Amino acid sequence: MTKKWTDVEPTLVLVAHGTRNPRGVEMIAALAEAVGARVGTTRVAFVDVLGPSPAEVLRELSGPAVVVPAFLASGYHVHTDVPREVMASEHPATTVTRALGPDPVFARVMVERLVSAGWASGDAIVFAAAGSSDERALLEHRRAAAMLAELTGSRVGIGYVATARPSVPDAVAALRRDGHERVFVASYLLARGLFHTRLADAGSDGVAEPIGLHPDIVELVSARFLDGARAVAEHAHSARQ
């Protein structure tokens, strides 16, 4: 007896931005592998730079899908690119979860990365985000920076690598003008790529590694998927009635 679509376990489609940096691609692949070990079949798609695209991955699936946008804020890619790709795929059973950030998990991981870079309590921090032209994303960046400030008790300024202002170097310079002798950059980036590379020239006393692969991030992605899988199951239940 052939299974109906609604009887098949959903596949997690982890959607990332994309980068030409091999280490960044490897990190996303490693994240997908770690999440897949917990929740089942997991595929990776990218909205920019390289493929496969979300639409291409969704067209290959023979069962329901849960798309998890691996973005730290809900900007253009989350609000426009992902829905467009889902629609273009014509996949009949796709659930899209909310983006990964902002979330207190990231603040905790960023503190670990900062300490490894030489940061100590009392040192000022520049929260370095990719930037966006979407005010909703900028608001979420401010929320995430506030979480980091609350956790560290330090002065936290916001700087952007592209698109928005102030730039990361300008944010570092502003903190120094305010009398902070030691300023560290906290990378609010998921993986290595061009944006993270640019942080080395910001004039800070140290740059933390990207958030990267971390058990708490694996847990967060898994939780997003399970939320989406429950929505799939509820829809299937309603369809049977």
Side-chain angles (χ1 to χ4, degrees), residues 103-114 119 124-128 141-158 184-188:
D103 192 282
V105 165
F106 292 109
R108 295 196 296 270
V109 176
M110 290 171 80
V111 171
E112 289 186 24
R113 305 298 188 229
L114 281 165
W119 174 85
I125 301 167
V126 171
F127 176 96
H141 288 148
R142 291 193 287 272
R143 286 173 53 199
M147 293 175 189
L148 183 61
E150 182 178 1
L151 190 60
T152 60
S154 292
R155 171 76 179 276
V156 176
I158 300 178
F184 284 76
V185 172
S187 179
Y188 194 59

PDB file of all heavy atoms in Angstrom, residues 103-114 119 124-128 141-158 184-188:
ATOM      1  N   ASP A 103      17.557  35.055  19.708  1.00  0.00           N
ATOM      2  CA  ASP A 103      17.272  34.065  20.739  1.00  0.00           C
ATOM      3  C   ASP A 103      18.378  34.151  21.791  1.00  0.00           C
ATOM      4  O   ASP A 103      19.548  34.359  21.438  1.00  0.00           O
ATOM      5  CB  ASP A 103      17.229  32.661  20.133  1.00  0.00           C
ATOM      6  CG  ASP A 103      16.654  31.626  21.075  1.00  0.00           C
ATOM      7  OD1 ASP A 103      17.387  31.193  21.993  1.00  0.00           O
ATOM      8  OD2 ASP A 103      15.480  31.253  20.905  1.00  0.00           O
ATOM      9  N   PRO A 104      18.047  33.998  23.062  1.00  0.00           N
ATOM     10  CA  PRO A 104      19.080  34.063  24.114  1.00  0.00           C
ATOM     11  C   PRO A 104      20.209  33.056  23.920  1.00  0.00           C
ATOM     12  O   PRO A 104      21.326  33.274  24.414  1.00  0.00           O
ATOM     13  CB  PRO A 104      18.296  33.750  25.395  1.00  0.00           C
ATOM     14  CG  PRO A 104      16.886  34.160  25.090  1.00  0.00           C
ATOM     15  CD  PRO A 104      16.693  33.853  23.637  1.00  0.00           C
ATOM     16  N   VAL A 105      19.952  31.981  23.200  1.00  0.00           N
ATOM     17  CA  VAL A 105      20.997  30.986  22.930  1.00  0.00           C
ATOM     18  C   VAL A 105      22.210  31.652  22.282  1.00  0.00           C
ATOM     19  O   VAL A 105      23.360  31.356  22.633  1.00  0.00           O
ATOM     20  CB  VAL A 105      20.451  29.870  22.017  1.00  0.00           C
ATOM     21  CG1 VAL A 105      21.590  29.045  21.435  1.00  0.00           C
ATOM     22  CG2 VAL A 105      19.502  28.972  22.789  1.00  0.00           C
ATOM     23  N   PHE A 106      21.966  32.557  21.358  1.00  0.00           N
ATOM     24  CA  PHE A 106      23.076  33.170  20.638  1.00  0.00           C
ATOM     25  C   PHE A 106      23.926  34.038  21.552  1.00  0.00           C
ATOM     26  O   PHE A 106      25.158  34.083  21.416  1.00  0.00           O
ATOM     27  CB  PHE A 106      22.557  33.978  19.446  1.00  0.00           C
ATOM     28  CG  PHE A 106      21.962  33.114  18.379  1.00  0.00           C
ATOM     29  CD1 PHE A 106      20.601  33.111  18.153  1.00  0.00           C
ATOM     30  CD2 PHE A 106      22.758  32.280  17.617  1.00  0.00           C
ATOM     31  CE1 PHE A 106      20.041  32.301  17.190  1.00  0.00           C
ATOM     32  CE2 PHE A 106      22.214  31.463  16.654  1.00  0.00           C
ATOM     33  CZ  PHE A 106      20.851  31.471  16.427  1.00  0.00           C
ATOM     34  N   ALA A 107      23.295  34.746  22.489  1.00  0.00           N
ATOM     35  CA  ALA A 107      24.056  35.561  23.429  1.00  0.00           C
ATOM     36  C   ALA A 107      25.001  34.681  24.245  1.00  0.00           C
ATOM     37  O   ALA A 107      26.170  35.037  24.468  1.00  0.00           O
ATOM     38  CB  ALA A 107      23.112  36.340  24.338  1.00  0.00           C
ATOM     39  N   ARG A 108      24.512  33.528  24.681  1.00  0.00           N
ATOM     40  CA  ARG A 108      25.351  32.639  25.491  1.00  0.00           C
ATOM     41  C   ARG A 108      26.544  32.126  24.680  1.00  0.00           C
ATOM     42  O   ARG A 108      27.675  32.083  25.177  1.00  0.00           O
ATOM     43  CB  ARG A 108      24.520  31.470  26.019  1.00  0.00           C
ATOM     44  CG  ARG A 108      23.427  31.890  26.991  1.00  0.00           C
ATOM     45  CD  ARG A 108      22.906  30.716  27.777  1.00  0.00           C
ATOM     46  NE  ARG A 108      22.240  29.717  26.945  1.00  0.00           N
ATOM     47  CZ  ARG A 108      20.953  29.726  26.670  1.00  0.00           C
ATOM     48  NH1 ARG A 108      20.169  30.697  27.140  1.00  0.00           N
ATOM     49  NH2 ARG A 108      20.393  28.768  25.928  1.00  0.00           N
ATOM     50  N   VAL A 109      26.299  31.746  23.438  1.00  0.00           N
ATOM     51  CA  VAL A 109      27.388  31.242  22.601  1.00  0.00           C
ATOM     52  C   VAL A 109      28.367  32.367  22.274  1.00  0.00           C
ATOM     53  O   VAL A 109      29.595  32.161  22.268  1.00  0.00           O
ATOM     54  CB  VAL A 109      26.832  30.613  21.306  1.00  0.00           C
ATOM     55  CG1 VAL A 109      27.978  30.184  20.381  1.00  0.00           C
ATOM     56  CG2 VAL A 109      25.944  29.413  21.629  1.00  0.00           C
ATOM     57  N   MET A 110      27.853  33.570  22.033  1.00  0.00           N
ATOM     58  CA  MET A 110      28.734  34.695  21.717  1.00  0.00           C
ATOM     59  C   MET A 110      29.664  35.021  22.879  1.00  0.00           C
ATOM     60  O   MET A 110      30.819  35.393  22.671  1.00  0.00           O
ATOM     61  CB  MET A 110      27.898  35.917  21.326  1.00  0.00           C
ATOM     62  CG  MET A 110      27.199  35.755  19.982  1.00  0.00           C
ATOM     63  SD  MET A 110      26.009  37.064  19.640  1.00  0.00           S
ATOM     64  CE  MET A 110      27.112  38.377  19.089  1.00  0.00           C
ATOM     65  N   VAL A 111      29.181  34.885  24.104  1.00  0.00           N
ATOM     66  CA  VAL A 111      30.046  35.120  25.260  1.00  0.00           C
ATOM     67  C   VAL A 111      31.185  34.097  25.273  1.00  0.00           C
ATOM     68  O   VAL A 111      32.347  34.443  25.530  1.00  0.00           O
ATOM     69  CB  VAL A 111      29.242  35.063  26.573  1.00  0.00           C
ATOM     70  CG1 VAL A 111      30.189  35.096  27.773  1.00  0.00           C
ATOM     71  CG2 VAL A 111      28.269  36.225  26.651  1.00  0.00           C
ATOM     72  N   GLU A 112      30.888  32.852  24.983  1.00  0.00           N
ATOM     73  CA  GLU A 112      31.936  31.829  24.913  1.00  0.00           C
ATOM     74  C   GLU A 112      32.978  32.206  23.876  1.00  0.00           C
ATOM     75  O   GLU A 112      34.190  32.090  24.113  1.00  0.00           O
ATOM     76  CB  GLU A 112      31.328  30.470  24.565  1.00  0.00           C
ATOM     77  CG  GLU A 112      30.503  29.841  25.664  1.00  0.00           C
ATOM     78  CD  GLU A 112      30.056  28.435  25.309  1.00  0.00           C
ATOM     79  OE1 GLU A 112      30.730  27.784  24.475  1.00  0.00           O
ATOM     80  OE2 GLU A 112      29.031  27.973  25.845  1.00  0.00           O
ATOM     81  N   ARG A 113      32.515  32.651  22.707  1.00  0.00           N
ATOM     82  CA  ARG A 113      33.437  33.025  21.634  1.00  0.00           C
ATOM     83  C   ARG A 113      34.270  34.243  22.038  1.00  0.00           C
ATOM     84  O   ARG A 113      35.462  34.336  21.725  1.00  0.00           O
ATOM     85  CB  ARG A 113      32.672  33.331  20.345  1.00  0.00           C
ATOM     86  CG  ARG A 113      31.748  32.218  19.841  1.00  0.00           C
ATOM     87  CD  ARG A 113      32.503  30.964  19.490  1.00  0.00           C
ATOM     88  NE  ARG A 113      31.640  29.993  18.839  1.00  0.00           N
ATOM     89  CZ  ARG A 113      31.553  28.716  19.189  1.00  0.00           C
ATOM     90  NH1 ARG A 113      32.252  28.254  20.198  1.00  0.00           N
ATOM     91  NH2 ARG A 113      30.753  27.890  18.524  1.00  0.00           N
ATOM     92  N   LEU A 114      33.640  35.204  22.717  1.00  0.00           N
ATOM     93  CA  LEU A 114      34.359  36.406  23.164  1.00  0.00           C
ATOM     94  C   LEU A 114      35.461  36.052  24.168  1.00  0.00           C
ATOM     95  O   LEU A 114      36.594  36.554  24.069  1.00  0.00           O
ATOM     96  CB  LEU A 114      33.381  37.391  23.797  1.00  0.00           C
ATOM     97  CG  LEU A 114      32.547  38.244  22.837  1.00  0.00           C
ATOM     98  CD1 LEU A 114      31.384  38.889  23.581  1.00  0.00           C
ATOM     99  CD2 LEU A 114      33.414  39.316  22.173  1.00  0.00           C
ATOM    100  N   TRP A 119      38.401  38.482  25.523  1.00  0.00           N
ATOM    101  CA  TRP A 119      37.522  39.449  26.186  1.00  0.00           C
ATOM    102  C   TRP A 119      37.414  39.113  27.674  1.00  0.00           C
ATOM    103  O   TRP A 119      37.409  37.943  28.069  1.00  0.00           O
ATOM    104  CB  TRP A 119      36.139  39.407  25.542  1.00  0.00           C
ATOM    105  CG  TRP A 119      35.105  40.249  26.240  1.00  0.00           C
ATOM    106  CD1 TRP A 119      34.862  41.568  26.062  1.00  0.00           C
ATOM    107  CD2 TRP A 119      34.179  39.796  27.244  1.00  0.00           C
ATOM    108  NE1 TRP A 119      33.845  41.987  26.879  1.00  0.00           N
ATOM    109  CE2 TRP A 119      33.400  40.927  27.621  1.00  0.00           C
ATOM    110  CE3 TRP A 119      33.931  38.576  27.863  1.00  0.00           C
ATOM    111  CZ2 TRP A 119      32.395  40.846  28.582  1.00  0.00           C
ATOM    112  CZ3 TRP A 119      32.937  38.493  28.832  1.00  0.00           C
ATOM    113  CH2 TRP A 119      32.173  39.622  29.177  1.00  0.00           C
ATOM    114  N   ALA A 124      34.450  46.618  26.527  1.00  0.00           N
ATOM    115  CA  ALA A 124      33.324  46.981  25.666  1.00  0.00           C
ATOM    116  C   ALA A 124      33.217  46.008  24.495  1.00  0.00           C
ATOM    117  O   ALA A 124      34.194  45.347  24.123  1.00  0.00           O
ATOM    118  CB  ALA A 124      33.479  48.407  25.155  1.00  0.00           C
ATOM    119  N   ILE A 125      32.022  45.937  23.923  1.00  0.00           N
ATOM    120  CA  ILE A 125      31.742  44.978  22.852  1.00  0.00           C
ATOM    121  C   ILE A 125      31.030  45.679  21.704  1.00  0.00           C
ATOM    122  O   ILE A 125      30.124  46.489  21.917  1.00  0.00           O
ATOM    123  CB  ILE A 125      30.839  43.835  23.368  1.00  0.00           C
ATOM    124  CG1 ILE A 125      31.503  43.093  24.526  1.00  0.00           C
ATOM    125  CG2 ILE A 125      30.477  42.867  22.236  1.00  0.00           C
ATOM    126  CD1 ILE A 125      30.552  42.159  25.281  1.00  0.00           C
ATOM    127  N   VAL A 126      31.446  45.348  20.499  1.00  0.00           N
ATOM    128  CA  VAL A 126      30.676  45.726  19.312  1.00  0.00           C
ATOM    129  C   VAL A 126      29.966  44.482  18.804  1.00  0.00           C
ATOM    130  O   VAL A 126      30.612  43.484  18.468  1.00  0.00           O
ATOM    131  CB  VAL A 126      31.563  46.327  18.203  1.00  0.00           C
ATOM    132  CG1 VAL A 126      30.762  46.486  16.908  1.00  0.00           C
ATOM    133  CG2 VAL A 126      32.114  47.674  18.631  1.00  0.00           C
ATOM    134  N   PHE A 127      28.668  44.543  18.795  1.00  0.00           N
ATOM    135  CA  PHE A 127      27.823  43.473  18.271  1.00  0.00           C
ATOM    136  C   PHE A 127      27.816  43.634  16.758  1.00  0.00           C
ATOM    137  O   PHE A 127      27.220  44.572  16.222  1.00  0.00           O
ATOM    138  CB  PHE A 127      26.420  43.618  18.863  1.00  0.00           C
ATOM    139  CG  PHE A 127      25.393  42.647  18.367  1.00  0.00           C
ATOM    140  CD1 PHE A 127      25.117  41.490  19.077  1.00  0.00           C
ATOM    141  CD2 PHE A 127      24.673  42.906  17.210  1.00  0.00           C
ATOM    142  CE1 PHE A 127      24.148  40.596  18.636  1.00  0.00           C
ATOM    143  CE2 PHE A 127      23.711  42.036  16.766  1.00  0.00           C
ATOM    144  CZ  PHE A 127      23.448  40.873  17.477  1.00  0.00           C
ATOM    145  N   ALA A 128      28.524  42.761  16.055  1.00  0.00           N
ATOM    146  CA  ALA A 128      28.726  42.902  14.607  1.00  0.00           C
ATOM    147  C   ALA A 128      27.766  42.013  13.828  1.00  0.00           C
ATOM    148  O   ALA A 128      27.873  40.789  13.864  1.00  0.00           O
ATOM    149  CB  ALA A 128      30.161  42.559  14.239  1.00  0.00           C
ATOM    150  N   HIS A 141      18.111  42.869  15.456  1.00  0.00           N
ATOM    151  CA  HIS A 141      19.515  42.997  15.834  1.00  0.00           C
ATOM    152  C   HIS A 141      19.638  43.743  17.160  1.00  0.00           C
ATOM    153  O   HIS A 141      20.447  43.374  18.024  1.00  0.00           O
ATOM    154  CB  HIS A 141      20.292  43.760  14.754  1.00  0.00           C
ATOM    155  CG  HIS A 141      20.513  42.981  13.505  1.00  0.00           C
ATOM    156  ND1 HIS A 141      20.568  43.567  12.260  1.00  0.00           N
ATOM    157  CD2 HIS A 141      20.690  41.648  13.297  1.00  0.00           C
ATOM    158  CE1 HIS A 141      20.772  42.637  11.345  1.00  0.00           C
ATOM    159  NE2 HIS A 141      20.843  41.465  11.954  1.00  0.00           N
ATOM    160  N   ARG A 142      18.849  44.787  17.328  1.00  0.00           N
ATOM    161  CA  ARG A 142      18.903  45.548  18.582  1.00  0.00           C
ATOM    162  C   ARG A 142      18.453  44.689  19.758  1.00  0.00           C
ATOM    163  O   ARG A 142      19.011  44.769  20.861  1.00  0.00           O
ATOM    164  CB  ARG A 142      18.051  46.826  18.464  1.00  0.00           C
ATOM    165  CG  ARG A 142      18.646  47.848  17.494  1.00  0.00           C
ATOM    166  CD  ARG A 142      17.969  49.194  17.628  1.00  0.00           C
ATOM    167  NE  ARG A 142      16.620  49.221  17.084  1.00  0.00           N
ATOM    168  CZ  ARG A 142      16.327  49.501  15.823  1.00  0.00           C
ATOM    169  NH1 ARG A 142      17.298  49.744  14.938  1.00  0.00           N
ATOM    170  NH2 ARG A 142      15.065  49.528  15.413  1.00  0.00           N
ATOM    171  N   ARG A 143      17.448  43.852  19.533  1.00  0.00           N
ATOM    172  CA  ARG A 143      16.999  42.941  20.588  1.00  0.00           C
ATOM    173  C   ARG A 143      18.105  41.954  20.951  1.00  0.00           C
ATOM    174  O   ARG A 143      18.356  41.681  22.133  1.00  0.00           O
ATOM    175  CB  ARG A 143      15.755  42.188  20.133  1.00  0.00           C
ATOM    176  CG  ARG A 143      14.487  43.022  20.109  1.00  0.00           C
ATOM    177  CD  ARG A 143      13.335  42.242  19.492  1.00  0.00           C
ATOM    178  NE  ARG A 143      13.151  40.956  20.136  1.00  0.00           N
ATOM    179  CZ  ARG A 143      12.486  39.927  19.583  1.00  0.00           C
ATOM    180  NH1 ARG A 143      11.951  40.066  18.365  1.00  0.00           N
ATOM    181  NH2 ARG A 143      12.348  38.798  20.235  1.00  0.00           N
ATOM    182  N   ALA A 144      18.777  41.413  19.935  1.00  0.00           N
ATOM    183  CA  ALA A 144      19.844  40.444  20.179  1.00  0.00           C
ATOM    184  C   ALA A 144      21.017  41.101  20.892  1.00  0.00           C
ATOM    185  O   ALA A 144      21.629  40.506  21.791  1.00  0.00           O
ATOM    186  CB  ALA A 144      20.298  39.830  18.859  1.00  0.00           C
ATOM    187  N   ALA A 145      21.343  42.337  20.520  1.00  0.00           N
ATOM    188  CA  ALA A 145      22.437  43.060  21.182  1.00  0.00           C
ATOM    189  C   ALA A 145      22.091  43.336  22.642  1.00  0.00           C
ATOM    190  O   ALA A 145      22.955  43.271  23.527  1.00  0.00           O
ATOM    191  CB  ALA A 145      22.725  44.366  20.449  1.00  0.00           C
ATOM    192  N   ALA A 146      20.815  43.636  22.908  1.00  0.00           N
ATOM    193  CA  ALA A 146      20.379  43.867  24.286  1.00  0.00           C
ATOM    194  C   ALA A 146      20.526  42.597  25.118  1.00  0.00           C
ATOM    195  O   ALA A 146      20.879  42.659  26.308  1.00  0.00           O
ATOM    196  CB  ALA A 146      18.931  44.352  24.298  1.00  0.00           C
ATOM    197  N   MET A 147      20.265  41.440  24.515  1.00  0.00           N
ATOM    198  CA  MET A 147      20.450  40.172  25.226  1.00  0.00           C
ATOM    199  C   MET A 147      21.912  39.980  25.605  1.00  0.00           C
ATOM    200  O   MET A 147      22.235  39.536  26.709  1.00  0.00           O
ATOM    201  CB  MET A 147      19.985  39.008  24.348  1.00  0.00           C
ATOM    202  CG  MET A 147      18.499  38.960  24.080  1.00  0.00           C
ATOM    203  SD  MET A 147      18.079  37.615  22.906  1.00  0.00           S
ATOM    204  CE  MET A 147      16.354  37.977  22.577  1.00  0.00           C
ATOM    205  N   LEU A 148      22.817  40.339  24.674  1.00  0.00           N
ATOM    206  CA  LEU A 148      24.250  40.203  24.951  1.00  0.00           C
ATOM    207  C   LEU A 148      24.681  41.172  26.054  1.00  0.00           C
ATOM    208  O   LEU A 148      25.467  40.817  26.935  1.00  0.00           O
ATOM    209  CB  LEU A 148      25.051  40.453  23.674  1.00  0.00           C
ATOM    210  CG  LEU A 148      26.574  40.288  23.780  1.00  0.00           C
ATOM    211  CD1 LEU A 148      26.938  38.867  24.171  1.00  0.00           C
ATOM    212  CD2 LEU A 148      27.241  40.668  22.452  1.00  0.00           C
ATOM    213  N   ALA A 149      24.167  42.404  26.017  1.00  0.00           N
ATOM    214  CA  ALA A 149      24.498  43.392  27.033  1.00  0.00           C
ATOM    215  C   ALA A 149      24.015  42.940  28.413  1.00  0.00           C
ATOM    216  O   ALA A 149      24.724  43.086  29.417  1.00  0.00           O
ATOM    217  CB  ALA A 149      23.889  44.741  26.669  1.00  0.00           C
ATOM    218  N   GLU A 150      22.813  42.389  28.456  1.00  0.00           N
ATOM    219  CA  GLU A 150      22.262  41.928  29.737  1.00  0.00           C
ATOM    220  C   GLU A 150      23.091  40.785  30.307  1.00  0.00           C
ATOM    221  O   GLU A 150      23.321  40.705  31.521  1.00  0.00           O
ATOM    222  CB  GLU A 150      20.816  41.497  29.547  1.00  0.00           C
ATOM    223  CG  GLU A 150      20.144  41.051  30.829  1.00  0.00           C
ATOM    224  CD  GLU A 150      18.680  40.674  30.648  1.00  0.00           C
ATOM    225  OE1 GLU A 150      18.180  40.735  29.504  1.00  0.00           O
ATOM    226  OE2 GLU A 150      18.037  40.333  31.650  1.00  0.00           O
ATOM    227  N   LEU A 151      23.551  39.894  29.436  1.00  0.00           N
ATOM    228  CA  LEU A 151      24.299  38.726  29.896  1.00  0.00           C
ATOM    229  C   LEU A 151      25.703  39.100  30.362  1.00  0.00           C
ATOM    230  O   LEU A 151      26.210  38.526  31.333  1.00  0.00           O
ATOM    231  CB  LEU A 151      24.371  37.698  28.766  1.00  0.00           C
ATOM    232  CG  LEU A 151      24.913  36.312  29.110  1.00  0.00           C
ATOM    233  CD1 LEU A 151      24.058  35.652  30.184  1.00  0.00           C
ATOM    234  CD2 LEU A 151      24.950  35.437  27.860  1.00  0.00           C
ATOM    235  N   THR A 152      26.335  40.056  29.686  1.00  0.00           N
ATOM    236  CA  THR A 152      27.720  40.391  30.003  1.00  0.00           C
ATOM    237  C   THR A 152      27.848  41.536  31.009  1.00  0.00           C
ATOM    238  O   THR A 152      28.870  41.652  31.695  1.00  0.00           O
ATOM    239  CB  THR A 152      28.479  40.811  28.724  1.00  0.00           C
ATOM    240  OG1 THR A 152      27.838  41.962  28.149  1.00  0.00           O
ATOM    241  CG2 THR A 152      28.513  39.668  27.722  1.00  0.00           C
ATOM    242  N   GLY A 153      26.838  42.411  31.073  1.00  0.00           N
ATOM    243  CA  GLY A 153      26.938  43.597  31.903  1.00  0.00           C
ATOM    244  C   GLY A 153      27.880  44.642  31.336  1.00  0.00           C
ATOM    245  O   GLY A 153      28.231  45.617  32.013  1.00  0.00           O
ATOM    246  N   SER A 154      28.301  44.470  30.086  1.00  0.00           N
ATOM    247  CA  SER A 154      29.234  45.386  29.444  1.00  0.00           C
ATOM    248  C   SER A 154      28.513  46.358  28.512  1.00  0.00           C
ATOM    249  O   SER A 154      27.355  46.137  28.144  1.00  0.00           O
ATOM    250  CB  SER A 154      30.276  44.598  28.630  1.00  0.00           C
ATOM    251  OG  SER A 154      31.130  43.853  29.471  1.00  0.00           O
ATOM    252  N   ARG A 155      29.199  47.402  28.134  1.00  0.00           N
ATOM    253  CA  ARG A 155      28.685  48.328  27.130  1.00  0.00           C
ATOM    254  C   ARG A 155      28.733  47.615  25.785  1.00  0.00           C
ATOM    255  O   ARG A 155      29.778  47.107  25.365  1.00  0.00           O
ATOM    256  CB  ARG A 155      29.552  49.588  27.095  1.00  0.00           C
ATOM    257  CG  ARG A 155      29.248  50.528  25.952  1.00  0.00           C
ATOM    258  CD  ARG A 155      27.992  51.328  26.167  1.00  0.00           C
ATOM    259  NE  ARG A 155      27.774  52.227  25.041  1.00  0.00           N
ATOM    260  CZ  ARG A 155      28.332  53.436  24.914  1.00  0.00           C
ATOM    261  NH1 ARG A 155      29.164  53.877  25.874  1.00  0.00           N
ATOM    262  NH2 ARG A 155      28.073  54.189  23.875  1.00  0.00           N
ATOM    263  N   VAL A 156      27.608  47.577  25.106  1.00  0.00           N
ATOM    264  CA  VAL A 156      27.521  46.907  23.806  1.00  0.00           C
ATOM    265  C   VAL A 156      27.006  47.898  22.766  1.00  0.00           C
ATOM    266  O   VAL A 156      25.898  48.424  22.895  1.00  0.00           O
ATOM    267  CB  VAL A 156      26.591  45.676  23.859  1.00  0.00           C
ATOM    268  CG1 VAL A 156      26.444  45.058  22.463  1.00  0.00           C
ATOM    269  CG2 VAL A 156      27.132  44.635  24.836  1.00  0.00           C
ATOM    270  N   GLY A 157      27.832  48.168  21.762  1.00  0.00           N
ATOM    271  CA  GLY A 157      27.406  48.965  20.621  1.00  0.00           C
ATOM    272  C   GLY A 157      27.108  48.053  19.454  1.00  0.00           C
ATOM    273  O   GLY A 157      27.548  46.901  19.424  1.00  0.00           O
ATOM    274  N   ILE A 158      26.364  48.535  18.493  1.00  0.00           N
ATOM    275  CA  ILE A 158      26.025  47.738  17.310  1.00  0.00           C
ATOM    276  C   ILE A 158      26.765  48.281  16.101  1.00  0.00           C
ATOM    277  O   ILE A 158      26.813  49.503  15.878  1.00  0.00           O
ATOM    278  CB  ILE A 158      24.511  47.754  17.036  1.00  0.00           C
ATOM    279  CG1 ILE A 158      23.745  47.176  18.220  1.00  0.00           C
ATOM    280  CG2 ILE A 158      24.179  46.964  15.765  1.00  0.00           C
ATOM    281  CD1 ILE A 158      22.239  47.198  18.047  1.00  0.00           C
ATOM    282  N   PHE A 184      36.099  44.703  22.005  1.00  0.00           N
ATOM    283  CA  PHE A 184      36.103  43.437  21.275  1.00  0.00           C
ATOM    284  C   PHE A 184      34.887  43.353  20.358  1.00  0.00           C
ATOM    285  O   PHE A 184      33.828  43.911  20.672  1.00  0.00           O
ATOM    286  CB  PHE A 184      36.116  42.253  22.244  1.00  0.00           C
ATOM    287  CG  PHE A 184      37.457  42.004  22.868  1.00  0.00           C
ATOM    288  CD1 PHE A 184      37.925  42.828  23.884  1.00  0.00           C
ATOM    289  CD2 PHE A 184      38.267  40.972  22.411  1.00  0.00           C
ATOM    290  CE1 PHE A 184      39.172  42.619  24.453  1.00  0.00           C
ATOM    291  CE2 PHE A 184      39.516  40.758  22.979  1.00  0.00           C
ATOM    292  CZ  PHE A 184      39.972  41.582  23.998  1.00  0.00           C
ATOM    293  N   VAL A 185      35.066  42.651  19.269  1.00  0.00           N
ATOM    294  CA  VAL A 185      33.978  42.464  18.311  1.00  0.00           C
ATOM    295  C   VAL A 185      33.365  41.088  18.507  1.00  0.00           C
ATOM    296  O   VAL A 185      34.063  40.065  18.462  1.00  0.00           O
ATOM    297  CB  VAL A 185      34.475  42.614  16.856  1.00  0.00           C
ATOM    298  CG1 VAL A 185      33.370  42.230  15.872  1.00  0.00           C
ATOM    299  CG2 VAL A 185      34.931  44.048  16.604  1.00  0.00           C
ATOM    300  N   ALA A 186      32.061  41.061  18.745  1.00  0.00           N
ATOM    301  CA  ALA A 186      31.304  39.811  18.838  1.00  0.00           C
ATOM    302  C   ALA A 186      30.634  39.566  17.496  1.00  0.00           C
ATOM    303  O   ALA A 186      29.824  40.375  17.037  1.00  0.00           O
ATOM    304  CB  ALA A 186      30.262  39.902  19.947  1.00  0.00           C
ATOM    305  N   SER A 187      30.966  38.476  16.867  1.00  0.00           N
ATOM    306  CA  SER A 187      30.473  38.185  15.523  1.00  0.00           C
ATOM    307  C   SER A 187      29.078  37.569  15.576  1.00  0.00           C
ATOM    308  O   SER A 187      28.921  36.408  15.965  1.00  0.00           O
ATOM    309  CB  SER A 187      31.446  37.238  14.812  1.00  0.00           C
ATOM    310  OG  SER A 187      30.986  36.915  13.514  1.00  0.00           O
ATOM    311  N   TYR A 188      28.075  38.357  15.181  1.00  0.00           N
ATOM    312  CA  TYR A 188      26.704  37.829  15.090  1.00  0.00           C
ATOM    313  C   TYR A 188      26.499  37.282  13.684  1.00  0.00           C
ATOM    314  O   TYR A 188      25.646  37.711  12.918  1.00  0.00           O
ATOM    315  CB  TYR A 188      25.693  38.930  15.403  1.00  0.00           C
ATOM    316  CG  TYR A 188      24.279  38.432  15.654  1.00  0.00           C
ATOM    317  CD1 TYR A 188      24.010  37.526  16.674  1.00  0.00           C
ATOM    318  CD2 TYR A 188      23.214  38.889  14.886  1.00  0.00           C
ATOM    319  CE1 TYR A 188      22.713  37.082  16.915  1.00  0.00           C
ATOM    320  CE2 TYR A 188      21.913  38.457  15.129  1.00  0.00           C
ATOM    321  CZ  TYR A 188      21.675  37.556  16.141  1.00  0.00           C
ATOM    322  OH  TYR A 188      20.385  37.118  16.374  1.00  0.00           O
TER     323      TYR A 188
END
